[in-house]
Amino acid sequence: MYAKPKVKTIVMKDSVPVVTIDGPGGSGKGTVTSLLASELGWHLLDSGALYRLTALAALNRGIALDDEAAVAKLAANLDVQFIAGTGILLDGEHVELAIRQEAIGLGASRIAAFPAVRAALLARQQAFAVLPGLVADGRDMGTVVFPDAPVKIFLIASAEERAKRRFLQLQGQGVNVSLERLLEDIVRRDEQDANRAVAPMIPADDAIVLDSTQLTIQEVLARVVDEMHAKGVM
Ligand code: C5P
């Protein structure tokens, strides 16, 4: 007798395409990430904002930035809402401008060196990978948070060029700063981020390193899109 074979239906979970854009501050990764995400209609993860929010929350609560356990606990329980567009609420308050201050960037870089803080933020970052896709901006997106991402970009630019870009951006916002001071802060943060023991800022082995010093944002974007085509991601 012919026995009807049992048919087992295997439901493949749709895998979420992820493009990671890592690199130092001022390399243009934030702008490229938001342009790409909005052109594709994909989700966006600004992972640096999570470290900045943690630093700000610690300062608001009088928690010392070198108290790894207390800062990690705070990171695990952050009350944050990302509102489509530009809004970020921390404990119900708008903090978009507060978290962009240089002092908060340096504070974020200090607490980001703690393994317990990074571990506390890991699942929250991975939860951003939702269909139709994610563009993730940070330092360790391609190495630690999304190691299986099909497209990984590591964007660099000279420290002088990055300081100049930041200077012009702040001037445009009516903020008075010295170019020399900005350059010092950038170099200090690069050193902290690149030399820490956990998840240092380095390109993943399979990342494309793009130097944006002489490129416009549109040129960088075009290179990223080329890479996505090459990898069959779009
Ligand atoms: O990118 P952004 O300048 O907002 O990041 C602030 C700081 O957060 C960085 O200097 C870095 O120390 C930390 N960071 C990190 N890993 C990420 C994103 C940011 O360590 N994925």
Side-chain angles (χ1 to χ4, degrees):
M1 260 253 314
Y2 172 73
K4 200 173 164 195
K6 281 194 186 136
V7 179
K8 199 167 153 196
T9 311
I10 299 171
V11 179
M12 297 275 291
K13 193 173 170 287
D14 284 333
S15 66
V16 179
V18 177
V19 174
T20 62
I21 306 193
D22 288 306
S27 57
K29 67 194 163 59
T31 311
V32 172
T33 299
S34 66
L35 283 173
L36 186 62
S38 92
E39 273 185 26
L40 296 169
W42 285 12
H43 301 276
L44 179 158
L45 167 61
D46 171 4
S47 60
L50 288 171
Y51 290 93
R52 288 171 180 268
L53 286 159
T54 304
L56 180 63
L59 293 170
N60 286 346
R61 286 170 172 73
I63 293 173
L65 294 185
D66 56 4
D67 185 342
E68 178 171 1
V71 177
K73 195 167 163 205
L74 192 59
N77 297 297
L78 273 188
D79 173 9
V80 176
Q81 284 170 268
F82 288 94
I83 302 158
T86 53
I88 304 179
L89 300 184
L90 175 64
D91 299 321
E93 305 231 334
H94 279 280
V95 291
E96 304 74 22
L97 287 178
I99 60 165
R100 299 298 163 198
Q101 296 168 46
E102 292 305 309
I104 298 296
L106 282 168
S109 173
R110 279 177 61 193
I111 58 142
F114 293 133
V117 172
R118 305 199 73 84
L121 292 174
L122 185 63
R124 198 188 278 258
Q125 295 173 78
Q126 289 170 334
F128 278 76
V130 173
L131 287 170
L134 174 70
V135 189
D137 158 351
R139 304 290 187 288
D140 62 341
M141 298 295 98
T143 49
V144 175
V145 182
F146 301 108
D148 299 328
V151 178
K152 298 179 183 178
I153 308 293
F154 194 86
L155 203 53
I156 56 170
S158 71
E160 289 72 20
E161 175 65 21
R162 289 184 284 130
K164 202 176 84 192
R165 289 175 187 171
R166 182 80 181 128
F167 180 73
L168 293 174
Q169 184 190 24
L170 288 171
Q171 266 199 335
Q173 294 167 358
V175 181
N176 255 332
V177 278
S178 105
L179 183 60
E180 292 71 31
R181 178 68 204 277
L182 277 178
L183 182 58
E184 270 171 38
D185 284 351
I186 277 180
V187 170
R188 183 141 53 108
R189 196 136 69 89
D190 283 357
E191 272 169 16
Q192 277 177 196
D193 290 347
N195 295 320
R196 67 185 172 216
V198 203
M201 176 179 66
I202 43 161
D205 289 342
D206 50 350
I208 302 287
V209 179
L210 269 183
D211 187 341
S212 77
T213 309
Q214 309 283 345
L215 299 177
T216 65
I217 286 295
Q218 288 306 328
E219 286 169 331
V220 174
L221 196 56
R223 300 280 286 277
V224 177
V225 170
D226 283 351
E227 183 60 15
M228 290 179 74
H229 282 302
K231 293 280 166 59
V233 173
M234 60 185 285

